[in-house]
Amino acid sequence: MRNGDLRGLRAFLLLHAIISSGGKDHDWSTSLPVGAWARAFDTTVNAEDASARAAVSKALRRLEGRKLITRSRAGKKRLVKVTILRPDGEGGPYTRPGNDNADRFLKLDNKFWTERWYDKLDMPGTAMLLVALHEKPGFEVPAEKFPEWYGWSADTAERGFGKLADLGLLHIDKKKRKSALSDTGITDVNVYTLTGAFAPEQTSEGK
């Protein structure tokens, strides 16, 4: 988010969607030809084959540099093997949340991919969709808390929420709250609830 790497963020989310089990070695990986990775990452759109393949390599290299994945060549066909790591950027092995793993997590519905919402949302919109999926319906997040809680500016958050609202994915309700430090003693608070494709009652169980 801080680096504006939207392609990298989309690739990271897609990898967590398609790598759905630990496999026989419990290494949470999958191996595909680079051309298949290019189609999965949508780098083939309006690009020559060589450019599409190079874009895949660059995106995976950035994720690897952030210690979110490892990659290697697999088998005689030289498939590109990608292994997801813990999403905290510390480089530890991935484990599924639950049981002995108490990490908090969110569920991103497959509609994000099948209905091409990833292609309709910019970086702020994607980031705030993830925030909204992590929160309970009708949540409130003070604008001044975004830098501390999520690492990006209040302006970015507002643009992201606005994008979601414009696409019919978010309802924003304004409520009055007492505020001893405000001029009038009352302040407006935004209350956010996902609607449309990602409304709580419409989301299906997923990773």
Side-chain angles (χ1 to χ4, degrees):
M1 178 65 195
R2 288 192 294 268
N3 291 284
D5 187 5
L6 181 56
R7 175 168 284 169
L9 175 59
R10 289 172 177 169
F12 172 78
L13 294 173
L14 181 62
L15 289 170
H16 278 261
I18 65 176
I19 300 175
S20 58
S21 69
K24 64 179 181 179
D25 297 321
H26 302 288
D27 62 354
W28 294 93
S29 67
T30 193
S31 301
L32 294 171
V34 65
W37 283 120
R39 292 190 297 275
F41 290 173
D42 245 10
T43 62
T44 57
V45 178
N46 300 319
E48 298 293 333
D49 184 64
S51 297
R53 292 167 181 259
V56 168
S57 180
K58 290 177 181 178
L60 292 177
R61 187 184 307 124
R62 293 194 298 272
L63 293 180
E64 191 171 34
R66 293 171 185 141
K67 298 182 180 180
L68 297 172
I69 66 165
T70 62
R71 58 179 177 148
S72 60
R73 291 287 182 173
K76 294 181 179 180
K77 294 183 179 180
R78 303 290 288 168
L79 304 178
V80 178
K81 178 181 179 180
V82 177
T83 302
I84 55 175
L85 302 175
R86 281 181 59 83
D88 58 8
E90 296 296 325
Y94 179 83
T95 57
R96 185 191 295 274
N99 297 327
D100 296 330
N101 181 354
D103 290 346
R104 300 182 70 185
F105 65 96
L106 57 84
K107 294 180 180 180
L108 180 60
D109 195 280
N110 286 335
K111 294 189 188 77
F112 184 76
W113 309 106
T114 60
E115 296 181 6
R116 298 188 67 86
W117 288 107
Y118 70 90
D119 198 34
K120 304 170 188 176
L121 290 166
D122 55 11
M123 176 61 87
T126 303
M128 299 321 298
L129 173 62
L130 298 177
V131 169
L133 288 169
H134 186 262
E135 300 289 345
K136 294 180 180 179
F139 66 96
E140 303 173 13
V141 182
E144 65 274 10
K145 291 294 184 180
F146 275 99
E148 175 186 350
W149 291 356
Y150 297 104
W152 56 77
S153 69
D155 178 67
T156 296
E158 290 176 2
R159 287 189 287 116
F161 281 141
K163 183 69 171 181
L164 293 175
D166 290 344
L167 291 172
L169 297 177
L170 187 73
H171 176 71
I172 304 175
D173 187 26
K174 291 189 178 292
K175 292 188 177 181
K176 300 290 185 181
R177 291 282 190 275
K178 292 182 178 179
S179 176
L181 299 180
S182 72
D183 184 48
T184 62
I186 299 293
T187 187
D188 288 325
V189 176
N190 287 337
V191 180
Y192 305 100
T193 302
L194 285 171
T195 59
F198 301 99
E201 66 274 13
Q202 295 184 21
T203 55
S204 60
E205 185 174 356
K207 185 179 175 186

